[in-house]
Amino acid sequence: MDGAVKRNGLAQAASGQARTDSSDPTERSSAGGRLVRRLASLRLTLALIVLLGGGVAFAYLREGARTWPLVVPLVLLAINLMAAVMSNGVFRRQTALLVFHLALVVLLLLVAAGRLTYLNAHVGVTEGVPFNGELSGVDRGPLHAGALSSVHFVNKGFHIDYAPGLQREATRNQVAWQGPDGRWHDEIIGDQKPLIVSGYRFYTTFNKGFAPTFRWRDNQGNVVRGSVQLPPYPMKEYSQAAEWSPPGSALPIWVLLDIDEIILDPAEHTSFHLPEHYKLVVRIGRERHEMHPGDSLQTPDGTLEFEGLRNWMGYRVFYDWTLPWLLAACTVAVVSLAAHFWTKFTARPWDA
């Protein structure tokens, strides 16, 4: 009796061990297959599309949340589509269809990567002054590396014609930019033709105006030269004023550009240009002064010299490294889908 029990126990133990040893890879394989099939579910696809739609609506309504509500659904949709490719044998039998769906996966991941690393901002650069990397109205992805320190360009002036009614025509802005080899290049850019340096695109905008340029000498003898950008012209034609403080001083200085001529005549074809007849009204505390180019003004903290007027141009700065790759992925998707339908619907000879 004891011997039979022992034999049965050994047999059961051997059987259990055999089941355990033989089922591990299979179970793991089947568990992996079930997971892939669940990830490839069409119901999950529908739910993720709804989630993406909600993310788009949320990003539209919340200006400060335009990354993660879009990135998360896009990555999940890429995983869902990749699982469908892995679990459906029809993709392995039809190469063109397989390439098309893989291109869609790449597109989803590229759009997600673009949202994580993009940058959108504005900057105003005075004529003859190098771009210093300071931006305004910055909107960027959380993983944007920030390589603006490698961007070097100078605004060398611009030309804008206006049709009657102050209809702005094309902007032609001449810039000089430094390439990776250290050489300087000249280029003319505009609203549709950007300056592209280190992946950053600088487009001209309708914002431009006048910038009084000063030379400031403080009481210690330090000399600094700079300009103050006045509000955009002609959008704020009657508000050409700004308040600022010289470098190293807390002295508030208010300046107003008083123009004694018509810069842009709404009834004529005209061009944007610097005024020839003007004066600069300067207020420091209760004191009022009028300055012309070359005039100097003594203040408690130093000497302010007005050198003259310059233009400034407003640029929209945009960065998204995924754009050329998106174009390539779209091209592959279109070509592969066309090849698939060409193969599928091409008429075959009746005697083939």
Side-chain angles (χ1 to χ4, degrees), residues 213-247:
T213 302
F214 300 95
R215 183 184 297 272
W216 168 255
R217 180 187 296 273
D218 63 20
N219 292 333
Q220 287 72 40
N222 301 314
V223 178
V224 180
R225 189 163 177 260
S227 59
V228 178
Q229 295 179 0
L230 300 178
Y233 192 95
M235 185 170 64
K236 296 187 177 181
E237 180 178 1
Y238 302 107
S239 302
Q240 294 296 298
E243 185 173 275
W244 57 287
S245 295

mmCIF file of all heavy atoms in Angstrom, residues 213-247:
data_model
loop_
_atom_site.group_PDB
_atom_site.id
_atom_site.type_symbol
_atom_site.label_atom_id
_atom_site.label_comp_id
_atom_site.label_asym_id
_atom_site.label_seq_id
_atom_site.Cartn_x
_atom_site.Cartn_y
_atom_site.Cartn_z
ATOM 1 N N THR A 213 17.845 105.118 -30.564
ATOM 2 C CA THR A 213 19.120 104.527 -30.148
ATOM 3 C C THR A 213 19.892 105.527 -29.295
ATOM 4 O O THR A 213 19.988 106.712 -29.646
ATOM 5 C CB THR A 213 19.942 104.136 -31.385
ATOM 6 O OG1 THR A 213 19.174 103.224 -32.172
ATOM 7 C CG2 THR A 213 21.238 103.447 -30.983
ATOM 8 N N PHE A 214 20.425 105.032 -28.178
ATOM 9 C CA PHE A 214 21.086 105.905 -27.203
ATOM 10 C C PHE A 214 22.498 105.394 -26.904
ATOM 11 O O PHE A 214 22.822 104.221 -27.068
ATOM 12 C CB PHE A 214 20.297 105.935 -25.883
ATOM 13 C CG PHE A 214 18.888 106.443 -26.020
ATOM 14 C CD1 PHE A 214 17.833 105.553 -26.183
ATOM 15 C CD2 PHE A 214 18.619 107.801 -25.978
ATOM 16 C CE1 PHE A 214 16.531 106.006 -26.301
ATOM 17 C CE2 PHE A 214 17.319 108.268 -26.093
ATOM 18 C CZ PHE A 214 16.271 107.370 -26.264
ATOM 19 N N ARG A 215 23.302 106.339 -26.427
ATOM 20 C CA ARG A 215 24.596 106.009 -25.819
ATOM 21 C C ARG A 215 24.531 106.478 -24.370
ATOM 22 O O ARG A 215 24.295 107.655 -24.105
ATOM 23 C CB ARG A 215 25.745 106.693 -26.559
ATOM 24 C CG ARG A 215 27.137 106.330 -26.010
ATOM 25 C CD ARG A 215 28.209 107.128 -26.738
ATOM 26 N NE ARG A 215 28.242 106.801 -28.151
ATOM 27 C CZ ARG A 215 28.967 105.810 -28.667
ATOM 28 N NH1 ARG A 215 29.722 105.080 -27.862
ATOM 29 N NH2 ARG A 215 28.948 105.570 -29.960
ATOM 30 N N TRP A 216 24.750 105.554 -23.453
ATOM 31 C CA TRP A 216 24.616 105.849 -22.021
ATOM 32 C C TRP A 216 25.987 105.759 -21.371
ATOM 33 O O TRP A 216 26.679 104.754 -21.472
ATOM 34 C CB TRP A 216 23.645 104.859 -21.373
ATOM 35 C CG TRP A 216 23.639 104.868 -19.868
ATOM 36 C CD1 TRP A 216 24.186 103.957 -19.031
ATOM 37 C CD2 TRP A 216 23.036 105.854 -19.017
ATOM 38 N NE1 TRP A 216 23.983 104.289 -17.722
ATOM 39 C CE2 TRP A 216 23.268 105.468 -17.679
ATOM 40 C CE3 TRP A 216 22.334 107.038 -19.262
ATOM 41 C CZ2 TRP A 216 22.816 106.202 -16.599
ATOM 42 C CZ3 TRP A 216 21.879 107.774 -18.165
ATOM 43 C CH2 TRP A 216 22.118 107.355 -16.871
ATOM 44 N N ARG A 217 26.381 106.855 -20.691
ATOM 45 C CA ARG A 217 27.641 106.875 -19.932
ATOM 46 C C ARG A 217 27.296 107.106 -18.459
ATOM 47 O O ARG A 217 26.762 108.171 -18.113
ATOM 48 C CB ARG A 217 28.565 107.991 -20.430
ATOM 49 C CG ARG A 217 29.907 108.060 -19.671
ATOM 50 C CD ARG A 217 30.693 109.289 -20.098
ATOM 51 N NE ARG A 217 31.067 109.234 -21.500
ATOM 52 C CZ ARG A 217 32.177 108.643 -21.950
ATOM 53 N NH1 ARG A 217 33.002 108.064 -21.088
ATOM 54 N NH2 ARG A 217 32.433 108.634 -23.230
ATOM 55 N N ASP A 218 27.570 106.095 -17.610
ATOM 56 C CA ASP A 218 27.220 106.251 -16.198
ATOM 57 C C ASP A 218 28.289 107.072 -15.469
ATOM 58 O O ASP A 218 29.323 107.445 -16.058
ATOM 59 C CB ASP A 218 27.009 104.885 -15.535
ATOM 60 C CG ASP A 218 28.273 104.031 -15.530
ATOM 61 O OD1 ASP A 218 29.372 104.592 -15.684
ATOM 62 O OD2 ASP A 218 28.148 102.801 -15.383
ATOM 63 N N ASN A 219 28.050 107.324 -14.189
ATOM 64 C CA ASN A 219 28.947 108.187 -13.417
ATOM 65 C C ASN A 219 30.309 107.545 -13.173
ATOM 66 O O ASN A 219 31.248 108.222 -12.748
ATOM 67 C CB ASN A 219 28.298 108.559 -12.075
ATOM 68 C CG ASN A 219 27.091 109.474 -12.268
ATOM 69 O OD1 ASN A 219 27.021 110.210 -13.257
ATOM 70 N ND2 ASN A 219 26.149 109.426 -11.341
ATOM 71 N N GLN A 220 30.434 106.234 -13.408
ATOM 72 C CA GLN A 220 31.729 105.568 -13.268
ATOM 73 C C GLN A 220 32.501 105.546 -14.586
ATOM 74 O O GLN A 220 33.602 104.984 -14.664
ATOM 75 C CB GLN A 220 31.540 104.128 -12.777
ATOM 76 C CG GLN A 220 31.136 104.015 -11.305
ATOM 77 C CD GLN A 220 29.704 104.451 -11.065
ATOM 78 O OE1 GLN A 220 28.818 104.147 -11.861
ATOM 79 N NE2 GLN A 220 29.483 105.195 -9.988
ATOM 80 N N GLY A 221 31.909 106.085 -15.644
ATOM 81 C CA GLY A 221 32.581 106.141 -16.931
ATOM 82 C C GLY A 221 32.282 104.977 -17.847
ATOM 83 O O GLY A 221 32.832 104.913 -18.955
ATOM 84 N N ASN A 222 31.447 104.044 -17.420
ATOM 85 C CA ASN A 222 31.085 102.915 -18.280
ATOM 86 C C ASN A 222 30.134 103.375 -19.383
ATOM 87 O O ASN A 222 29.167 104.105 -19.111
ATOM 88 C CB ASN A 222 30.423 101.810 -17.450
ATOM 89 C CG ASN A 222 31.333 101.303 -16.349
ATOM 90 O OD1 ASN A 222 32.516 101.036 -16.598
ATOM 91 N ND2 ASN A 222 30.807 101.172 -15.135
ATOM 92 N N VAL A 223 30.391 102.933 -20.608
ATOM 93 C CA VAL A 223 29.597 103.351 -21.762
ATOM 94 C C VAL A 223 28.865 102.133 -22.333
ATOM 95 O O VAL A 223 29.470 101.084 -22.593
ATOM 96 C CB VAL A 223 30.475 103.987 -22.856
ATOM 97 C CG1 VAL A 223 29.630 104.374 -24.068
ATOM 98 C CG2 VAL A 223 31.188 105.219 -22.294
ATOM 99 N N VAL A 224 27.562 102.279 -22.526
ATOM 100 C CA VAL A 224 26.726 101.224 -23.110
ATOM 101 C C VAL A 224 25.890 101.838 -24.207
ATOM 102 O O VAL A 224 25.365 102.946 -24.062
ATOM 103 C CB VAL A 224 25.810 100.579 -22.040
ATOM 104 C CG1 VAL A 224 24.953 99.492 -22.678
ATOM 105 C CG2 VAL A 224 26.632 100.001 -20.895
ATOM 106 N N ARG A 225 25.759 101.105 -25.311
ATOM 107 C CA ARG A 225 24.946 101.579 -26.443
ATOM 108 C C ARG A 225 23.774 100.621 -26.625
ATOM 109 O O ARG A 225 23.941 99.399 -26.602
ATOM 110 C CB ARG A 225 25.797 101.585 -27.706
ATOM 111 C CG ARG A 225 25.166 102.255 -28.898
ATOM 112 C CD ARG A 225 26.253 102.558 -29.921
ATOM 113 N NE ARG A 225 25.706 103.139 -31.130
ATOM 114 C CZ ARG A 225 25.489 102.431 -32.236
ATOM 115 N NH1 ARG A 225 25.781 101.146 -32.257
ATOM 116 N NH2 ARG A 225 24.997 103.017 -33.315
ATOM 117 N N GLY A 226 22.590 101.192 -26.790
ATOM 118 C CA GLY A 226 21.414 100.333 -26.941
ATOM 119 C C GLY A 226 20.243 101.105 -27.516
ATOM 120 O O GLY A 226 20.331 102.308 -27.789
ATOM 121 N N SER A 227 19.137 100.399 -27.726
ATOM 122 C CA SER A 227 17.949 101.014 -28.322
ATOM 123 C C SER A 227 16.709 100.582 -27.554
ATOM 124 O O SER A 227 16.709 99.566 -26.858
ATOM 125 C CB SER A 227 17.822 100.615 -29.799
ATOM 126 O OG SER A 227 17.729 99.204 -29.921
ATOM 127 N N VAL A 228 15.666 101.373 -27.709
ATOM 128 C CA VAL A 228 14.385 101.094 -27.070
ATOM 129 C C VAL A 228 13.345 100.911 -28.168
ATOM 130 O O VAL A 228 13.123 101.812 -28.979
ATOM 131 C CB VAL A 228 13.962 102.259 -26.144
ATOM 132 C CG1 VAL A 228 12.607 101.967 -25.517
ATOM 133 C CG2 VAL A 228 15.013 102.485 -25.066
ATOM 134 N N GLN A 229 12.737 99.740 -28.226
ATOM 135 C CA GLN A 229 11.744 99.454 -29.267
ATOM 136 C C GLN A 229 10.397 100.054 -28.861
ATOM 137 O O GLN A 229 9.812 99.668 -27.846
ATOM 138 C CB GLN A 229 11.630 97.948 -29.491
ATOM 139 C CG GLN A 229 12.901 97.331 -30.053
ATOM 140 C CD GLN A 229 12.798 95.828 -30.248
ATOM 141 O OE1 GLN A 229 11.767 95.220 -29.954
ATOM 142 N NE2 GLN A 229 13.859 95.228 -30.746
ATOM 143 N N LEU A 230 9.903 100.973 -29.680
ATOM 144 C CA LEU A 230 8.592 101.575 -29.440
ATOM 145 C C LEU A 230 7.496 100.643 -29.951
ATOM 146 O O LEU A 230 7.772 99.695 -30.697
ATOM 147 C CB LEU A 230 8.518 102.935 -30.145
ATOM 148 C CG LEU A 230 9.555 103.962 -29.685
ATOM 149 C CD1 LEU A 230 9.425 105.249 -30.486
ATOM 150 C CD2 LEU A 230 9.430 104.227 -28.186
ATOM 151 N N PRO A 231 6.241 100.857 -29.561
ATOM 152 C CA PRO A 231 5.140 99.987 -30.011
ATOM 153 C C PRO A 231 5.069 99.897 -31.536
ATOM 154 O O PRO A 231 5.544 100.784 -32.256
ATOM 155 C CB PRO A 231 3.904 100.669 -29.425
ATOM 156 C CG PRO A 231 4.407 101.386 -28.212
ATOM 157 C CD PRO A 231 5.787 101.867 -28.591
ATOM 158 N N PRO A 232 4.474 98.812 -32.053
ATOM 159 C CA PRO A 232 4.420 98.579 -33.507
ATOM 160 C C PRO A 232 3.768 99.749 -34.246
ATOM 161 O O PRO A 232 2.819 100.368 -33.770
ATOM 162 C CB PRO A 232 3.579 97.302 -33.627
ATOM 163 C CG PRO A 232 3.695 96.631 -32.309
ATOM 164 C CD PRO A 232 3.836 97.716 -31.296
ATOM 165 N N TYR A 233 4.295 99.995 -35.449
ATOM 166 C CA TYR A 233 3.787 101.066 -36.317
ATOM 167 C C TYR A 233 3.391 100.448 -37.660
ATOM 168 O O TYR A 233 4.119 99.594 -38.167
ATOM 169 C CB TYR A 233 4.872 102.114 -36.534
ATOM 170 C CG TYR A 233 4.392 103.391 -37.170
ATOM 171 C CD1 TYR A 233 4.041 104.478 -36.395
ATOM 172 C CD2 TYR A 233 4.274 103.488 -38.559
ATOM 173 C CE1 TYR A 233 3.589 105.646 -36.988
ATOM 174 C CE2 TYR A 233 3.817 104.657 -39.142
ATOM 175 C CZ TYR A 233 3.479 105.731 -38.354
ATOM 176 O OH TYR A 233 3.026 106.890 -38.935
ATOM 177 N N PRO A 234 2.255 100.771 -38.240
ATOM 178 C CA PRO A 234 1.273 101.813 -37.863
ATOM 179 C C PRO A 234 0.176 101.317 -36.942
ATOM 180 O O PRO A 234 -0.779 102.057 -36.693
ATOM 181 C CB PRO A 234 0.696 102.191 -39.231
ATOM 182 C CG PRO A 234 0.708 100.918 -40.009
ATOM 183 C CD PRO A 234 1.960 100.199 -39.559
ATOM 184 N N MET A 235 0.264 100.058 -36.441
ATOM 185 C CA MET A 235 -0.826 99.529 -35.619
ATOM 186 C C MET A 235 -1.093 100.425 -34.404
ATOM 187 O O MET A 235 -2.231 100.641 -34.008
ATOM 188 C CB MET A 235 -0.500 98.104 -35.179
ATOM 189 C CG MET A 235 -1.620 97.419 -34.423
ATOM 190 S SD MET A 235 -1.320 95.657 -34.181
ATOM 191 C CE MET A 235 0.127 95.708 -33.134
ATOM 192 N N LYS A 236 -0.009 100.959 -33.785
ATOM 193 C CA LYS A 236 -0.158 101.862 -32.645
ATOM 194 C C LYS A 236 0.503 103.196 -32.973
ATOM 195 O O LYS A 236 1.411 103.654 -32.292
ATOM 196 C CB LYS A 236 0.452 101.231 -31.397
ATOM 197 C CG LYS A 236 -0.282 99.957 -30.960
ATOM 198 C CD LYS A 236 0.211 99.442 -29.631
ATOM 199 C CE LYS A 236 -0.590 98.229 -29.194
ATOM 200 N NZ LYS A 236 -0.149 97.702 -27.881
ATOM 201 N N GLU A 237 0.010 103.787 -34.051
ATOM 202 C CA GLU A 237 0.600 105.018 -34.571
ATOM 203 C C GLU A 237 0.594 106.144 -33.538
ATOM 204 O O GLU A 237 1.532 106.950 -33.498
ATOM 205 C CB GLU A 237 -0.168 105.458 -35.830
ATOM 206 C CG GLU A 237 0.340 106.726 -36.458
ATOM 207 C CD GLU A 237 -0.440 107.085 -37.722
ATOM 208 O OE1 GLU A 237 -1.368 106.320 -38.059
ATOM 209 O OE2 GLU A 237 -0.118 108.111 -38.347
ATOM 210 N N TYR A 238 -0.442 106.208 -32.730
ATOM 211 C CA TYR A 238 -0.577 107.321 -31.793
ATOM 212 C C TYR A 238 -0.164 106.938 -30.366
ATOM 213 O O TYR A 238 -0.520 107.632 -29.411
ATOM 214 C CB TYR A 238 -2.031 107.826 -31.802
ATOM 215 C CG TYR A 238 -2.470 108.251 -33.188
ATOM 216 C CD1 TYR A 238 -3.362 107.472 -33.928
ATOM 217 C CD2 TYR A 238 -1.970 109.414 -33.770
ATOM 218 C CE1 TYR A 238 -3.743 107.857 -35.210
ATOM 219 C CE2 TYR A 238 -2.342 109.805 -35.038
ATOM 220 C CZ TYR A 238 -3.231 109.022 -35.762
ATOM 221 O OH TYR A 238 -3.607 109.399 -37.030
ATOM 222 N N SER A 239 0.586 105.878 -30.228
ATOM 223 C CA SER A 239 1.084 105.465 -28.899
ATOM 224 C C SER A 239 2.561 105.144 -28.976
ATOM 225 O O SER A 239 3.024 104.123 -28.459
ATOM 226 C CB SER A 239 0.300 104.238 -28.403
ATOM 227 O OG SER A 239 -1.085 104.506 -28.346
ATOM 228 N N GLN A 240 3.331 106.003 -29.613
ATOM 229 C CA GLN A 240 4.761 105.751 -29.809
ATOM 230 C C GLN A 240 5.552 106.200 -28.580
ATOM 231 O O GLN A 240 6.331 107.170 -28.625
ATOM 232 C CB GLN A 240 5.245 106.469 -31.065
ATOM 233 C CG GLN A 240 4.627 105.928 -32.353
ATOM 234 C CD GLN A 240 5.054 104.470 -32.585
ATOM 235 O OE1 GLN A 240 6.224 104.181 -32.748
ATOM 236 N NE2 GLN A 240 4.084 103.585 -32.592
ATOM 237 N N ALA A 241 5.332 105.516 -27.470
ATOM 238 C CA ALA A 241 5.991 105.878 -26.214
ATOM 239 C C ALA A 241 6.396 104.622 -25.467
ATOM 240 O O ALA A 241 5.818 103.543 -25.670
ATOM 241 C CB ALA A 241 5.069 106.735 -25.349
ATOM 242 N N ALA A 242 7.413 104.757 -24.604
ATOM 243 C CA ALA A 242 7.872 103.625 -23.791
ATOM 244 C C ALA A 242 8.618 104.158 -22.577
ATOM 245 O O ALA A 242 9.158 105.279 -22.603
ATOM 246 C CB ALA A 242 8.779 102.700 -24.602
ATOM 247 N N GLU A 243 8.641 103.361 -21.514
ATOM 248 C CA GLU A 243 9.396 103.722 -20.318
ATOM 249 C C GLU A 243 10.469 102.669 -20.078
ATOM 250 O O GLU A 243 10.206 101.465 -20.231
ATOM 251 C CB GLU A 243 8.474 103.826 -19.104
ATOM 252 C CG GLU A 243 9.198 104.324 -17.858
ATOM 253 C CD GLU A 243 8.240 104.596 -16.695
ATOM 254 O OE1 GLU A 243 7.685 105.708 -16.649
ATOM 255 O OE2 GLU A 243 8.044 103.687 -15.879
ATOM 256 N N TRP A 244 11.655 103.079 -19.706
ATOM 257 C CA TRP A 244 12.764 102.147 -19.529
ATOM 258 C C TRP A 244 13.763 102.749 -18.551
ATOM 259 O O TRP A 244 13.633 103.906 -18.128
ATOM 260 C CB TRP A 244 13.455 101.879 -20.874
ATOM 261 C CG TRP A 244 13.946 103.133 -21.547
ATOM 262 C CD1 TRP A 244 13.172 104.090 -22.157
ATOM 263 C CD2 TRP A 244 15.292 103.590 -21.621
ATOM 264 N NE1 TRP A 244 13.964 105.108 -22.625
ATOM 265 C CE2 TRP A 244 15.271 104.829 -22.319
ATOM 266 C CE3 TRP A 244 16.511 103.077 -21.202
ATOM 267 C CZ2 TRP A 244 16.426 105.553 -22.575
ATOM 268 C CZ3 TRP A 244 17.671 103.779 -21.470
ATOM 269 C CH2 TRP A 244 17.626 105.008 -22.151
ATOM 270 N N SER A 245 14.762 101.961 -18.201
ATOM 271 C CA SER A 245 15.835 102.426 -17.314
ATOM 272 C C SER A 245 17.173 102.057 -17.936
ATOM 273 O O SER A 245 17.325 100.957 -18.481
ATOM 274 C CB SER A 245 15.715 101.776 -15.924
ATOM 275 O OG SER A 245 14.527 102.192 -15.276
ATOM 276 N N PRO A 246 18.178 102.940 -17.866
ATOM 277 C CA PRO A 246 19.493 102.624 -18.430
ATOM 278 C C PRO A 246 20.129 101.453 -17.684
ATOM 279 O O PRO A 246 19.808 101.193 -16.522
ATOM 280 C CB PRO A 246 20.289 103.926 -18.219
ATOM 281 C CG PRO A 246 19.266 104.982 -18.015
ATOM 282 C CD PRO A 246 18.110 104.317 -17.344
ATOM 283 N N PRO A 247 21.054 100.732 -18.319
ATOM 284 C CA PRO A 247 21.736 99.618 -17.659
ATOM 285 C C PRO A 247 22.459 100.071 -16.400
ATOM 286 O O PRO A 247 23.168 101.086 -16.406
ATOM 287 C CB PRO A 247 22.729 99.129 -18.724
ATOM 288 C CG PRO A 247 22.162 99.599 -20.022
ATOM 289 C CD PRO A 247 21.471 100.885 -19.724
#
